Amino acid sequence: MPDNNVGTLIRMLRSEHGMTQKQLADELHISDKTVSKWERGKGLPDISLIPELSRLFGIDIQNLLNGDLTPNDITGGNMKQIKYYVCPTCNSITFSTGDAEVSCCKRKLSSLKLQKAEEGEKLSVTVIEDDWFITSAHPMNKEFYISFLAFASGDRISVIKQYPEWDFNVRIPRLGHGMLIWYSTKKKLLYQLL
């Protein structure tokens, strides 16, 4: 944790939030000389102040400790590079079109790797009017179920949440070519092309 990087980051964030050293010091119940010392790279915040600094500036504690807020690569924001994150505790889904730090249920999540569905794993897709009707023989009990289904095309993604003990049958608008993506609670993120 280099002093200069952390101090530079604190100075930048303090300025972005329109705060003086005195105002930041008052929020933290410390002296403005202490804040000045940090910003000059002559010392670091006490570990007990890190969570409050993180909250005040709205940044992740790890970024604060690293003294780094490097923005995402400009190649991010592309639907072809979408990343999916699923919480192992509550099975909630989060996705991003670029690099992201995601947490849920107080755990840091890693993006899941899409796996092409084998023949026996594929969903059944039929066309009804202008919609796709999607079904599966996949078990839908509390221990093993599909927690969400998504359709991703070049410019959009539609996500449909599923719950255990529901029949798996979904009807979604037919929007051209794309990928059908689903998450099985057996920790698999699968896809098939439509």
Side-chain angles (χ1 to χ4, degrees), residues 115-124 136-137 182 188 190-193:
Q115 300 173 45
K116 188 171 186 175
E118 302 291 330
E119 273 312 307
E121 299 173 312
K122 287 186 177 180
L123 302 178
S124 172
S136 176
W182 65 98
K188 283 181 124 180
L190 301 168
Y191 77 92
Q192 71 190 60
L193 299 176

Side-chain angles (χ1 to χ4, degrees), residues 2-152:
D3 295 6
N4 285 348
N5 291 351
V6 174
T8 301
L9 181 60
I10 289 172
R11 183 177 61 247
M12 182 191 77
L13 292 168
R14 179 183 55 75
S15 296
E16 281 179 9
H17 285 79
M19 297 174 84
T20 65
Q21 288 181 345
K22 174 83 171 113
Q23 289 169 323
L24 177 57
D26 289 346
E27 284 283 334
L28 299 171
H29 308 290
I30 58 174
S31 75
D32 57 338
K33 289 180 180 164
T34 302
V35 174
S36 174
K37 191 195 273 187
W38 300 340
E39 291 183 0
R40 289 181 290 121
K42 303 295 183 193
L44 292 168
D46 185 87
I47 194 73
S48 64
L49 297 173
I50 298 297
E52 184 61 14
L53 279 166
S54 171
R55 185 196 64 76
L56 279 171
F57 295 139
I59 67 166
D60 186 72
I61 288 175
Q62 190 64 46
N63 289 46
L64 181 60
L65 293 173
N66 289 338
D68 182 35
L69 277 184
T70 306
N72 287 343
D73 187 355
I74 60 170
T75 60
N78 182 328
M79 291 302 283
K80 291 179 182 175
Q81 297 174 356
I82 199 160
K83 295 181 180 179
Y84 298 86
Y85 304 83
V86 178
C87 177
T89 304
C90 69
N91 288 320
S92 292
I93 177 175
T94 304
F95 50 89
S96 69
T97 55
D99 290 330
E101 290 186 18
V102 177
S103 62
C104 186
C105 296
K106 300 182 181 177
R107 297 172 188 217
K108 188 172 181 180
L109 306 180
S110 298
S111 63
L112 297 174
K113 186 174 190 243
L114 275 171
Q115 300 173 45
K116 188 171 186 175
E118 302 291 330
E119 273 312 307
E121 299 173 312
K122 287 186 177 180
L123 302 178
S124 172
V125 181
T126 55
V127 176
I128 298 178
E129 297 167 351
D130 289 332
D131 294 339
W132 280 310
F133 183 65
I134 304 160
T135 59
S136 176
H138 189 291
M140 292 295 285
N141 55 50
K142 288 183 180 180
E143 294 79 39
F144 184 35
Y145 66 99
I146 294 174
S147 69
F148 74 86
L149 170 76
F151 176 73

